[in-house]
């Protein structure tokens, strides 16, 4: 596993991180298998684990806490989120400083940590990022509850606001072959000294028509999510099917090599529930895209 700096936080991160969300966190997915994946990732040098109190019906964050129980977590860069939580059967949102403090205290307990290495606001609205609000965020850091502050958003205006703010250390954005428009944002984040976490680096499997690959409940769940939230990506992904036909690297590895080929990205956070996939994903660390494939990706991106 190769490592990179997380911006100017002083933290060093594995270039591939493990996403504790989606099907991985669902109660219907075996806890033993979920824990086994985390332990394998740790054994292979992964030190970044990304989760949220709102993920997977509220089950993902406590499951990560159980997976890490009894282990030395001091060198891990656990990134969780605040501002959303799963309550009474649905995701509820409250970005007030009081709610964030409650989220932080709950996450510390659930994850068995004394300080959160990375806390990310989960989808803040631009108008919520007032000076007063940001001063309040800084106080979480001053109190030692949080080491690095970040935000996770799909909204370019929010990402830009986070990048120019001295209060934030980290930004998480969706970055993959289907999102070439994120390159400029990642570059300005890097130039501003921010750590860049790339979420959905495998484009959620849409480059290999994941929606049609139905082998059981988990694939049905992935497909239902895609058709509900990411229809555009499902269609866009078709133009990148060539990623799967490479010599010497799988489609997933090519997708990861694309993301990690941007030095501005600190860590690509993959989601998986299959050991064979995890092994393949982790082996992508250090892989470099052949120039002809990089060109083919750029052409497919231009043809949107
Ligand atoms: N999705 C979002 O909206 C979002 C938003 C913010 C942050 N994030 C963060 O980003 C992380 C990753 O996002 P994600 O899981 O949505 O998307 P992703 O990592 O781009 O893709 C995950 C999909 O790829 C499949 N996969 C993984 N490795 C594979 C391999 N080697 N070969 C073939 N298929 C493979 C997984 O299926 P299997 O389970 O079958 O391996 C899953 O369907 C999340 O866990 C979260 O921490 C996500």
């Amino acid at each position: 596993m190769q490592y990179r700096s997380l911006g100017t936080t002083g933290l060093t991160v594995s270039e591939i991180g493990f996403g504790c969300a989606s099907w991985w966190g669902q109660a219907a997915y075996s806890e033993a298998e979920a824990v086994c994946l985390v332990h394998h990732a740790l054994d292979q040098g992964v030190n970044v684990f990304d989760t949220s109190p709102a993920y997977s019906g509220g089950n993902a964050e406590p499951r990560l806490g159980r997976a890490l129980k009894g282990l030395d977590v001091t060198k891990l860069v656990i990134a969780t989120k605040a501002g959303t939580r799963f309550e009474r059967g649905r995701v509820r949102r409250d970005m007030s400083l009081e709610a964030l403090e409650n989220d932080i205290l709950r996450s510390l307990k659930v994850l068995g940590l004394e300080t959160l290495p990375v806390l990310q606001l989960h989808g803040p609205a631009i108008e919520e990022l007032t000076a007063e609000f940001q001063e309040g965020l800084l106080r979480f850091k001053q109190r030692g509850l949080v080491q690095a502050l970040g935000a996770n958003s799909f909204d370019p205006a929010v990402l830009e606001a986070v990048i120019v703010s001295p209060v934030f250390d980290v930004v998480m954005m969706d970055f993959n072959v289907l999102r070439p428009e994120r390159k400029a944002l990642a570059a300005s984040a890097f130039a501003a000294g921010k750590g860049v976490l790339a979420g959905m680096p495998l484009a959620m499997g849409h480059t290999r028509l994941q929606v049609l690959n139905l082998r059981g409940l988990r694939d049905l769940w992935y497909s239902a999510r895609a058709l509900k939230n990411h229809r555009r990506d499902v269609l866009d992904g078709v133009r990148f099917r060539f990623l799967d036909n490479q010599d010497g690297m799988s489609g997933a590895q090519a997708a990861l090599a694309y993301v990690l080929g941007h030095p501005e990205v600190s860590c690509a956070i993959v989601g998986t529930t299959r050991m064979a996939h995890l092994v393949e994903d982790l082996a992508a660390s250090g892989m470099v895209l052949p120039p002809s494939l990089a060109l083919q990706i750029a052409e497919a991106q231009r043809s949107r």
Side-chain angles (χ1 to χ4, degrees):
M1 178 61 61
Q2 298 193 5
Y3 295 85
R4 300 184 181 195
S5 298
L6 185 65
T8 50
T9 60
L11 296 167
T12 298
V13 290
S14 50
E15 59 179 22
I16 297 178
F18 189 90
C20 301
S22 307
W23 187 252
W24 179 90
Q26 292 290 333
Y29 175 59
S30 150
E31 174 116 344
E33 280 184 51
V35 169
C36 198
L37 292 172
V38 167
H39 290 177
H40 181 77
L42 285 166
D43 287 347
Q44 296 304 308
V46 170
N47 73 347
V48 179
F49 294 85
D50 177 66
T51 192
S52 157
Y55 283 164
S56 313
N59 194 45
E61 194 185 59
R63 175 169 277 179
L64 176 62
R66 291 191 292 275
L68 297 176
K69 204 165 183 192
L71 303 178
D72 176 12
V73 291
T74 52
K75 297 223 165 45
L76 300 184
V77 181
I78 295 169
T80 193
K81 311 205 172 61
T84 58
R85 62 210 63 80
F86 196 84
E87 273 173 0
R88 299 189 295 281
R90 69 179 177 89
V91 175
R92 293 176 193 267
R93 186 182 185 287
D94 185 344
M95 206 55 72
S96 67
L97 289 168
E98 296 74 23
L100 295 180
E101 177 161 347
N102 286 335
D103 289 345
I104 292 169
L105 295 175
R106 203 171 320 136
S107 291
L108 285 170
K109 200 166 162 201
V110 161
L111 292 165
L113 299 172
E114 287 181 4
T115 180
L116 291 174
V118 178
L119 178 79
Q120 303 166 95
L121 302 182
H122 202 183
I126 189 97
E127 57 276 9
E128 286 168 333
L129 301 174
T130 62
E132 191 188 354
F133 176 73
Q134 295 193 46
E135 278 165 27
L137 292 180
L138 268 186
R139 284 196 290 275
F140 295 138
K141 247 171 125 172
Q142 287 154 358
R143 288 166 60 194
L145 297 173
V146 168
Q147 225 176 318
L149 280 166
N152 172 208
S153 178
F154 297 149
D155 179 345
V158 170
L159 292 170
E160 276 164 22
V162 167
I163 289 165
V164 298
S165 163
V167 167
F168 292 98
D169 311 287
V170 175
V171 62
M172 176 185 257
M173 59 184 83
D174 44 336
F175 191 3
N176 55 54
V177 289
L178 305 183
R179 298 279 193 279
E181 64 275 22
R182 296 293 189 234
K183 276 197 263 186
L185 279 169
S188 52
F190 181 76
K194 313 294 177 193
V196 177
L197 300 177
M200 303 154 65
L202 303 169
M204 294 193 283
H206 299 318
T207 59
R208 52 180 187 84
L209 300 189
Q210 164 117 342
V211 280
L212 302 179
N213 196 3
L214 302 177
R215 291 159 290 183
L217 188 58
R218 119 182 67 188
D219 296 319
L220 277 171
W221 186 89
Y222 283 139
S223 295
R225 176 180 69 164
L227 294 174
K228 183 167 169 259
N229 302 330
H230 302 282
R231 270 184 230 173
R232 170 90 198 269
D233 288 339
V234 173
L235 296 174
D236 268 2
V238 177
R239 283 176 299 103
F240 293 85
R241 287 193 69 188
F242 60 85
L243 289 177
D244 262 339
N245 306 320
Q246 305 304 314
D247 288 335
M249 58 171 67
S250 70
Q253 290 171 335
L256 286 170
Y258 168 79
V259 173
L260 293 170
H262 296 86
E264 303 87 357
V265 170
S266 316
C267 175
I269 298 183
V270 298
T272 184
T273 52
R274 291 181 165 100
M275 184 58 86
H277 285 173
L278 179 61
V279 169
E280 191 178 299
D281 296 343
L282 299 183
S285 173
M287 282 189 181
V288 176
L289 279 185
S292 57
L293 181 55
L295 270 177
Q296 212 177 343
I297 291 172
E299 270 167 30
Q301 289 172 334
R302 275 196 297 275
S303 72
R304 277 166 101 196

